[in-house]
Amino acid sequence: KYAHVALPPAMDLLITETRQVSKTSDELAQERTDLALRRTVMAMDRTLMAWVRTGLSIISFGFTIYKFLQAMHAQSPVPVLRPDAPRNVGLLLVGIGTFAVAVACIQHWNYVRKLSPDHAFRWDVAFIVAILIGLLGLLIFASMVYTSGPFG
């Protein structure tokens, strides 16, 4: 007679997995297609996050340049040749960063729709963060325009 021996959980999982190997070629092809689709979506999310990182860096650098040069101008006893130069450089950088995030959002939206045209758009965390960073860039841009220069 054989004694029943309790297998460790890892061995039990291994035996369960070996029993499920007998899949048809259509099932295996569908599984590989689903995995490829998941990898593609994850790559799109990584690309969006890289653009968000780049855009946020440009936005923050533009705002920092603006504030730093504005403080230097305020403390300088010598008259400055172009007093709006810090504002203009900061606006340019904040505008470029915000534009980059907006274009990345539109590109991500189009890619996701192209991958699954029959499904509803899925709101993932990377896309929501990208939209929020884009809105933050717009707010910083508006703040810089309306609080200095001819409006300030």
Side-chain angles (χ1 to χ4, degrees), residues 59-126:
I59 290 168
S60 61
F61 183 65
F63 188 73
T64 303
I65 291 267
Y66 164 66
K67 288 310 238 181
F68 177 75
L69 292 178
Q70 185 184 34
M72 292 291 290
H73 173 28
Q75 294 176 355
S76 174
V78 180
V80 179
L81 190 60
R82 295 189 176 153
D84 284 341
R87 174 183 166 268
N88 295 339
V89 170
L91 278 174
L92 178 69
L93 289 172
V94 169
I96 288 172
T98 303
F99 179 75
V101 171
V103 169
C105 284
I106 292 168
Q107 182 183 33
H108 183 78
W109 177 279
N110 288 333
Y111 284 160
V112 169
R113 281 189 24 219
K114 191 182 292 184
L115 268 180
S116 55
D118 52 338
H119 298 297
F121 182 78
R122 83 182 166 85
W123 290 88
D124 54 353
V125 175

